[in-house]
Amino acid sequence: MCAVAILSLFDRKVRAMWRGERRAIGTIKAKLDPQAKYVWVHAASLGEFEQGRPIIEHIKENYPEYKVLLTFFSPSGYEVRKDYEGADIICYLPLDTIRNARRFLRTIRPVCALFIKYEFWYNYLHILKHRGVPVYSVASIFRPDQIFFKWYGKQYGKVLKCFTHFYVQNDQSKSLLATLGIDNVTVTGDTRFDRVISIAEQAKNIDAVEQFLSADKGKKVFVAGSSWQPDEEIFIPYFRQHDDWTLIIAPHVIDESHLQQIESLLGENSFSCFRYTDIAEGKASTVTGNGKKALIINCFGLLSSIYRYADVTYVGGGFGVSIHNLPEAAVWGKPVIFGPENRKFAEAQDLKACGGGIEITDAAAFRAAMDRFGSDPAYLAKCSKAAHDYVESKAGATKAIISALKLSVKGKIK
């Protein structure tokens, strides 16, 4: 805890997390309905939230007698979803100390807890087990290189015994848990696929994007989502010599310094730049010019729908922090390009195998992929179909988990 406090002096993200965690109990007490029964859902960040979201919304729709407490560890999850209407209380999770865990659980008294994907908090889990509260690991995935399966991690691995049941993404995870003597496991898949399918089904047209694209009718559209500077330095220069493409860039970080970096790089490559909010708010009422154009999405919450306008998509993070949400792009039947930091993501391996995803390692590989997409319509159509069919084949995890929960919780969510 002291280390986090010290880091908060130097890191804005850590500072936001630290302040939020310290206010969490007060937030809960202010909003708590003492007569209600709460289901506690914990997601580390935004990606994990998207995996838990279909389950939260199913509970809210089908079990109105329960309320939902949603907690986050990271500001990148909390700050984006702090106003999410699907949960009754939203706050940070206090740091995993015995004192914090006792205060938190004494305050909320959940009827059950759902930890999404990678969340294994030692004190919270042990106290939940001691109190007899059912705890579920949802959409979790395990790999041989995780600490639980190393000789030096066996002691820590005992935390896994605190879970009532695991709903894992694949058979490998089930087999790995079996080596620890854990057999309360069901392979249900990844709930993100249900989420992205739902988004695609409910998506609406985005007027500002369509206004931008109307100025370049006939050109193919390249959409880059969750991009970082290393990604942008690879894909933007390619289009300097390719006037038949229009760019839409939705960066992962939208602070002013990053936006200006993108605009500078686009300018160096002969692009006219437009910001989404300027068009949406009428500050750039017309998109003019005959040259290359790029639209920068300088706000959150639109990317999952913007992919629909693409001919080819790019998902960032693969040259540093690791790739972001691939199914979000693939669900639209668009081939997805991504960087090499993807080994831990089953969907990346699956998309590569089926032809819906293309891994690149440098600018030359990106150029080769884009040249083929641009010159071979049949290949582009084949890759597009492969991406769509892959996502459709993975649907159903939410239904499987909810169905199993009704049996496992033994009346507490039924």
Side-chain angles (χ1 to χ4, degrees), residues 235-257:
F235 67 73
I236 289 176
Y238 170 83
F239 296 100
R240 183 182 182 90
Q241 304 299 325
H242 295 82
D243 294 341
D244 53 336
W245 287 88
T246 296
L247 270 62
I248 300 178
I249 303 171
H252 186 75
V253 177
I254 59 171
D255 61 36
E256 187 61 28
S257 62

Side-chain angles (χ1 to χ4, degrees), residues 203-407:
K204 298 179 180 179
N205 295 340
I206 303 175
D207 291 341
V209 174
E210 295 190 355
Q211 181 182 332
F212 168 78
L213 292 176
S214 67
D216 272 342
K217 289 182 178 178
K219 290 188 177 184
K220 294 184 287 292
V221 180
F222 178 86
V223 175
S226 302
S227 63
W228 296 76
Q229 186 174 350
D231 302 301
E232 293 143 10
E233 290 175 345
I234 283 180
F235 67 73
I236 289 176
Y238 170 83
F239 296 100
R240 183 182 182 90
Q241 304 299 325
H242 295 82
D243 294 341
D244 53 336
W245 287 88
T246 296
L247 270 62
I248 300 178
I249 303 171
H252 186 75
V253 177
I254 59 171
D255 61 36
E256 187 61 28
S257 62
H258 188 202
L259 295 176
Q260 290 181 9
Q261 286 177 350
I262 296 171
E263 288 170 338
S264 176
L265 185 57
L266 286 166
E268 292 171 8
N269 288 277
S270 304
F271 274 89
S272 298
C273 302
F274 299 85
R275 293 191 182 189
Y276 172 84
T277 54
D278 288 342
I279 299 175
E281 295 169 7
K283 297 176 183 177
S285 57
T286 58
V287 180
T288 59
N290 296 321
K292 294 188 290 292
K293 300 180 186 66
L295 177 64
I296 302 172
I297 309 300
N298 58 328
C299 58
F300 292 117
L302 298 175
L303 178 58
S304 57
S305 295
I306 287 174
Y307 282 127
R308 70 188 299 178
Y309 296 106
D311 291 284
V312 175
T313 67
Y314 181 102
V315 174
F319 287 91
V321 296
S322 75
I323 53 170
H324 297 290
N325 194 338
L326 295 178
E328 195 173 48
V331 68
W332 292 103
K334 316 293 182 178
V336 189
I337 300 174
F338 46 85
E341 291 298 323
N342 62 66
R343 299 295 182 269
K344 296 179 180 180
F345 297 87
E347 63 271 25
Q349 311 314 311
D350 292 344
L351 280 167
K352 286 191 290 185
C354 75
I358 306 294
E359 176 186 300
I360 62 164
T361 54
D362 53 27
F366 178 77
R367 183 169 61 250
M370 288 300 300
D371 283 349
R372 186 169 184 189
F373 283 137
S375 62
D376 189 342
Y379 174 69
L380 175 58
K382 178 182 178 181
C383 293
S384 298
K385 185 176 186 302
H388 175 267
D389 290 351
Y390 167 70
V391 174
E392 289 290 333
S393 74
K394 294 294 183 178
T398 301
K399 183 177 179 181
I401 291 170
I402 290 294
S403 176
L405 272 177
K406 286 194 291 185
L407 297 173

Side-chain angles (χ1 to χ4, degrees), residues 87-154:
D88 299 281
I89 304 175
I90 303 173
C91 63
Y92 283 94
L93 179 67
L95 289 175
D96 187 32
T97 66
I98 293 176
R99 180 175 180 272
N100 282 347
R102 285 175 175 166
R103 288 182 66 214
F104 179 89
L105 295 171
R106 190 183 302 124
T107 302
I108 196 67
R109 298 185 182 278
V111 297
C112 71
L114 282 68
F115 283 49
I116 310 301
K117 198 173 182 178
Y118 289 136
E119 294 300 276
F120 308 107
W121 296 105
Y122 187 90
N123 292 305
Y124 282 102
L125 286 168
H126 277 86
I127 294 172
L128 284 165
K129 182 179 180 182
H130 177 74
R131 295 187 176 196
V133 178
V135 187
Y136 303 93
S137 179
V138 174
S140 48
I141 189 166
F142 293 91
R143 303 181 308 277
D145 61 350
Q146 289 173 302
I147 189 173
F148 313 115
F149 310 108
K150 302 293 186 181
W151 65 267
Y152 52 80
K154 297 295 184 182

Side-chain angles (χ1 to χ4, degrees), residues 3 10 13 25 33-34 75 77 82 108 185 212 223 347 399 409:
F10 306 99
K13 187 174 180 179
I25 298 297
D33 178 353
K82 60 186 177 183
I108 196 67
V185 184
F212 168 78
V223 175
E347 63 271 25
K399 183 177 179 181
V409 178

Side-chain angles (χ1 to χ4, degrees), residues 56-68:
I56 294 173
E57 294 180 354
H58 186 97
I59 291 172
K60 294 295 289 184
E61 181 179 351
N62 295 280
Y63 304 97
E65 65 271 30
Y66 291 91
K67 293 195 173 185
V68 173

